[in-house]
Amino acid sequence: MLRVARLGARQMSTVTGRPSGSYKRFGRTFGTWMVGSAALASIGYYVGKDEIDAFDHEEPASELRLIPGQQFKGMPVIETESKGRERLVVLGSGWGAVAVLKTLDRDKYDVVVVSPDNYFIFTPLLPSATVGTVEFRSVLEGIRRITKRIRGAYVEASAVDVDFDAKCVLIEKPGEGRAWLPYDRLVVGVGAQSITRGTSGLEYCHKLKTILDARSIRQHIMANFEKVMLPTTPDDEKRRLLTFVVCGGGPTGCEFAAELHDLLAEDLKHYFPQSVRDMVRVVIVQSRDHVLNMMDSVISEFAERQFARSNITVVTNSRVQEITETSLRFSTKHADSTVTEHEIPQGFVLWSTGVSLTPFTQLLCQKLPDDQKNRHAITVDAHLRVKGVRDGSVYALGDCATVEYPHLLEHINELFESAHHEGAEITRNELDVFVKNAAAEFPSAAGHLQSLVDNFGHFDTNHNGTIDRSEFRSMLEYVDAKLTALPALAQVANQEGIYLGHVFNTLANLQDEHISSKDTLDADRKRRSEEIAVPPFAYHHHGTLAYLGRAAAADFGQGKTYKGSNLAAKYMWRSVYWSQQVSLRTRFLLMMDWIKELFFGRDLSKF
C-alpha cells in the first residue's frame, strides 16, 4: 500500500466523510513539495542548459587510430586528431577528472580521457544506492556526455605505464592489447584503493567504491533476509546472517550504517515479522576513539548518540585482526593499555578504511624515487604538478595525490628580514603587512597566517609589543604544524579539478600569445612563465556532511557545526548533494527517486 495512501486514510474524518484539518495540512504540504520540485526543475534546467545544447548540436570527437607502422618500445602508438593545439590526456573519470573537463574552455586542447569506467559516479550517494533509496543510474553520468561539450575523445582502458621523456602513457584494455598514447599535458586522477592494514580474510568483505560494489551489497542484504525466512534456517544461523559489520567509522561507513537502519525502520518492518527484525544487529568497528574523527568532536559525539538511539553498536579503539566466512575477530585497546580479543559472527562485512596507491600510481612514484617518497599518494607541488617531472607537464589530483605544503621555518631568515623594516623586531603593523604578502605567496597557509595577527599577544611572550626572532620562530612553527594533508574528500578533488581547468585555460591563452608574437621558449622558461601566469592552488573548506539516519550533521570548520535529527536535516543533506550534481539528467533522476521513496518506499527486489 502506498505510504501516502496510508497517511491520508488515517486522517480522513469517518463521521462527515470530509477531510480533517490534518488531511488539509497534508495536502498543503504535498502541494508545497510539488511547487518546490517544479522550482528545482527550473533551476536544474537553467544550470544544465549548456549540457542540452552540447547534446543537441555538438558533433562527437573523431575516433582514435593507430599510426601505421609506428611503434614505441615494441607497442603501437595512437594517432590523435591534431589541430595545432596541445594534447591533454586525462586519466580517470572521478571527481577531479570530471571537474577538469567541465571547467575547460572549448577548442583549447585536444582532450583524450582514459578510464576503465565510461561513467562518473557521484560517490557521496553510493550508500543510498546500496539500500534502494536511489537507483544505480541516478548516481551515474556517462563520461561521453561530459566530454562532448569540449569535443573530447574517450578510451575505455587503464593506464599501466608512463614514459616522461617521450611524453607517452601506455594504456591497456584487458584482452584487447596495449598501445602508447602521446600527450603534451597529462592529468592523473585515477583515485586510490582501500588500504588493507595486513588484515587477512578481506575476500569475504564488500567495498564501496564502484556501482558494482553497491549492486553486490544490495543483493547480499536482501539475500540474507530472504534466507532468514526459510523455515529450514536455524536460529543461530539467522542471527549470524542478520549481523552486519562495518569496518571503519568514516563518512562512508557511518552513512552506510545509517542507510541500512533506515531500510529496516522504514521498509523492512512492513514485510518482515518482528521476530526477524529483533535479530538484526549493526556493528561499526572503528580504530580511533570516535567515529567521524576527521570532523569536530561535537559531531562525533552527536553521531554516536544517534547510533545508540538507532541500536547501532559502535566499538572504538579496535582493530580488525581476521575475517572468516562466518565470523570477524578484532582486538580492543583499553585506557589502561590492556588489549582484549573479541570474535563475533557476521553475515555481512563492509571494509571502509583508509586509502593507498593503486598499481599505476605506485609505478609512477617508482620512476621518480628522489621526489616521490610518500607511501600513500603522489606528491605534487602548489600548482598540482607531479614532483620530479622536469618540464611540469604531469599533474595529479584527487585521492591519488597529496599537496606538498611549504615549510615556512626553512625560510625563517628571509621571511624575518622581509617582515621588519625599522629596528630589529617586528611591530604589529609590520606583521599585518607581512601576513598579507605571505598569504599571497602561500595561499594554502593564508588562514593560519591570519591567526598570527589575531593572536599577536599570545606569541609576544615578553609583552613588549613587538616580535623578536625567537617569537617569530614560534609563529612559523605554529603555521607549519597546522598545514596538514588535505582529506580524501570529493570536494577536495572537485576544487583541484576546477583549479586545473582554469590553469589549462590560462596556459592555452598564454600559448596563443607566444605563437602570435613568434616567441619560442625552452622548457625552463616556459615553466617559469606558467608559474607567473597562474596562482598556486588554495583549498577552501565548504564543510563536511554526514547522514546519520533520519539525522544529519555538518562541520564547517573553525568550530562551526550543524546538527539535526529531523526531516529538515535529512532534506538539507539531500538538497546539498542535489545541487552538486554534474548534470541536469541526474538532478531529475534523483528528484524522481526521492519522490518514489516518499510515496512507495524502497524497492526490496533482489536482482
Side-chain angles (χ1 to χ4, degrees):
M1 184 181 294
L2 298 181
R3 289 187 179 184
V4 174
R6 288 198 297 267
L7 288 170
R10 285 197 293 267
Q11 299 184 59
M12 287 293 291
S13 171
T14 57
V15 178
T16 63
R18 299 175 61 188
S20 65
S22 298
Y23 188 75
K24 290 179 179 179
R25 285 195 296 273
F26 171 77
R28 288 195 295 270
T29 302
F30 176 70
T32 302
W33 169 266
M34 295 305 294
V35 171
S37 299
L40 288 176
S42 301
I43 296 172
Y45 174 80
Y46 177 78
V47 172
K49 63 181 184 299
D50 286 342
E51 174 195 350
I52 294 175
D53 290 341
F55 181 77
D56 288 341
H57 305 299
E58 296 294 345
E59 284 293 324
S62 302
E63 61 180 314
L64 303 180
R65 299 180 183 275
L66 298 179
I67 301 177
Q70 182 172 339
Q71 288 195 338
F72 178 67
K73 295 184 178 181
M75 300 289 180
V77 180
I78 296 174
E79 178 183 32
T80 55
E81 185 179 6
S82 178
K83 297 180 179 178
R85 302 187 293 252
E86 285 191 337
R87 181 179 301 117
L88 174 64
V89 175
V90 180
L91 304 181
S93 56
W95 280 93
V98 167
V100 171
L101 299 174
K102 290 182 70 66
T103 310
L104 278 178
D105 291 339
R106 300 184 188 187
D107 301 324
K108 294 292 186 181
Y109 294 88
D110 290 331
V111 179
V112 180
V113 179
V114 179
S115 174
D117 302 315
N118 71 339
Y119 51 81
F120 162 79
I121 307 175
F122 193 86
T123 48
L125 289 178
L126 271 180
S128 298
T130 63
V131 297
T133 306
V134 299
E135 292 302 324
F136 301 119
R137 292 195 178 276
S138 300
V139 297
L140 301 179
E141 181 64 18
I143 200 68
R144 291 186 182 276
R145 297 175 68 96
I146 297 172
T147 58
K148 189 175 182 183
R149 181 189 66 85
I150 54 174
R151 301 182 181 90
Y154 167 73
V155 181
E156 188 179 67
S158 300
V160 295
D161 198 0
V162 61
D163 189 308
F164 297 118
D165 295 327
K167 302 184 76 168
C168 289
V169 59
L170 183 63
I171 63 174
E172 176 188 45
K173 173 75 172 179
E176 301 294 335
R178 296 181 170 188
W180 288 98
L181 176 63
Y183 66 84
D184 293 305
R185 297 185 187 273
L186 176 67
V187 177
V188 181
V190 296
Q193 61 185 8
S194 297
I195 193 170
T196 63
R197 303 186 188 279
T199 305
S200 62
L202 292 185
E203 63 269 21
Y204 302 113
C205 298
H206 290 274
K207 297 180 177 65
L208 189 51
K209 285 188 170 294
T210 69
I211 205 66
L212 296 179
D213 293 338
R215 183 186 293 276
S216 177
I217 290 172
R218 188 167 172 180
Q219 291 172 341
H220 194 153
I221 291 171
M222 293 313 304
N224 282 12
F225 274 95
E226 295 300 345
K227 188 174 181 181
V228 163
M229 294 300 293
L230 293 174
T232 55
T233 305
D235 286 347
D236 288 346
E237 179 67 3
K238 290 180 180 180
R239 279 186 281 271
R240 183 190 72 80
L241 289 170
L242 296 182
T243 300
F244 300 88
V245 183
V246 179
C247 300
T252 300
C254 288
E255 290 186 349
F256 170 76
E259 292 281 359
L260 184 60
H261 170 264
D262 285 355
L263 174 68
L264 177 68
E266 297 175 359
D267 295 276
L268 295 182
K269 71 176 184 179
H270 298 301
Y271 305 101
F272 290 85
Q274 184 68 43
S275 59
V276 171
R277 304 201 304 273
D278 289 342
M279 295 182 185
V280 177
R281 185 185 181 195
V282 182
V283 181
I284 299 176
V285 181
Q286 165 70 330
S287 61
R288 304 293 184 89
D289 55 352
H290 287 288
V291 297
L292 299 176
N293 60 288
M294 76 294 297
M295 301 174 73
D296 193 283
S297 59
V298 174
I299 300 295
S300 298
E301 294 167 0
F302 172 75
E304 290 169 1
R305 291 195 302 270
Q306 186 68 26
F307 287 152
R309 285 194 292 268
S310 302
N311 292 321
I312 297 174
T313 303
V314 177
V315 183
T316 57
N317 295 314
S318 301
R319 288 191 177 275
V320 177
Q321 303 297 328
E322 182 184 15
I323 303 166
T324 69
E325 191 173 2
T326 59
S327 66
L328 180 142
R329 184 169 59 85
F330 64 91
S331 60
T332 302
K333 186 175 182 180
H334 303 284
D336 58 0
S337 297
T338 60
V339 178
T340 57
E341 299 284 339
H342 307 271
E343 186 171 352
I344 58 174
Q346 59 84 11
F348 172 95
V349 178
L350 174 68
W351 187 263
S352 177
T353 58
V355 295
S356 62
L357 292 169
T358 65
F360 174 73
T361 50
Q362 287 179 8
L363 176 66
L364 187 150
C365 292
Q366 290 169 4
K367 289 177 175 288
L368 304 167
D370 295 334
D371 298 276
Q372 297 295 329
K373 301 182 184 300
N374 192 307
R375 295 182 301 169
H376 303 293
I378 302 170
T379 304
V380 298
D381 65 13
H383 293 82
L384 304 187
R385 297 173 301 201
V386 174
K387 297 276 290 183
V389 180
R390 183 176 175 273
D391 64 354
S393 62
V394 182
Y395 305 79
L397 75 175
D399 291 354
C400 70
T402 183
V403 179
E404 183 180 60
Y405 286 117
H407 298 287
L408 301 186
L409 196 59
E410 296 177 357
H411 309 283
I412 183 172
N413 292 330
E414 56 189 276
L415 292 176
F416 186 76
E417 292 301 323
S418 67
H420 72 88
H421 302 287
E422 297 180 3
E425 298 184 351
I426 303 171
T427 65
R428 180 182 289 271
N429 290 336
E430 288 175 338
L431 184 65
D432 286 337
V433 175
F434 164 76
V435 165
K436 291 178 181 177
N437 294 335
E441 185 177 356
F442 309 107
S444 57
H448 304 304
L449 286 167
Q450 183 57 44
S451 68
L452 301 181
V453 177
D454 301 334
N455 297 283
F456 184 92
H458 171 76
F459 292 103
D460 182 16
T461 54
N462 57 12
H463 307 293
N464 65 347
T466 58
I467 298 296
D468 59 26
R469 183 178 290 270
S470 64
E471 293 167 341
F472 188 70
R473 170 180 287 274
S474 298
M475 285 183 161
L476 298 188
E477 289 175 346
Y478 167 81
V479 174
D480 283 348
K482 290 292 185 180
L483 291 174
T484 57
L486 295 176
L489 297 175
Q491 66 172 304
V492 174
N494 184 63
Q495 289 188 36
E496 290 175 339
I498 293 173
Y499 165 80
L500 273 187
H502 289 306
V503 166
F504 292 147
N505 292 336
T506 301
L507 296 183
N509 294 332
L510 188 65
Q511 180 72 12
D512 292 342
E513 292 176 5
H514 290 317
I515 292 175
S516 61
S517 62
K518 299 182 180 180
D519 184 15
T520 58
L521 301 177
D522 57 26
D524 290 336
R525 287 182 60 199
K526 182 178 180 181
R527 179 165 181 159
R528 287 195 297 270
S529 66
E530 291 177 356
E531 288 180 351
I532 296 173
V534 297
F537 171 72
Y539 171 65
H540 302 284
H541 187 62
H542 298 313
T544 304
L545 291 175
Y547 179 65
L548 303 171
R550 300 185 182 182
D555 181 3
F556 301 104
Q558 299 181 344
K560 299 176 181 178
T561 61
Y562 167 82
K563 309 181 298 295
S565 53
N566 48 39
L567 283 178
K570 177 178 181 177
Y571 282 99
M572 178 275 294
W573 176 82
R574 287 184 173 182
S575 65
V576 170
Y577 284 145
W578 185 90
S579 67
Q580 292 178 348
Q581 293 301 302
V582 299
S583 73
L584 173 64
R585 169 187 162 274
T586 54
R587 286 188 178 93
F588 272 110
L589 290 178
L590 277 180
M591 190 162 55
M592 292 300 103
D593 285 346
W594 288 330
I595 291 175
K596 286 190 299 182
E597 188 262 336
L598 174 68
F599 279 80
F600 303 102
R602 296 169 179 84
D603 182 10
L604 304 183
S605 303
K606 180 170 71 75
F607 62 93

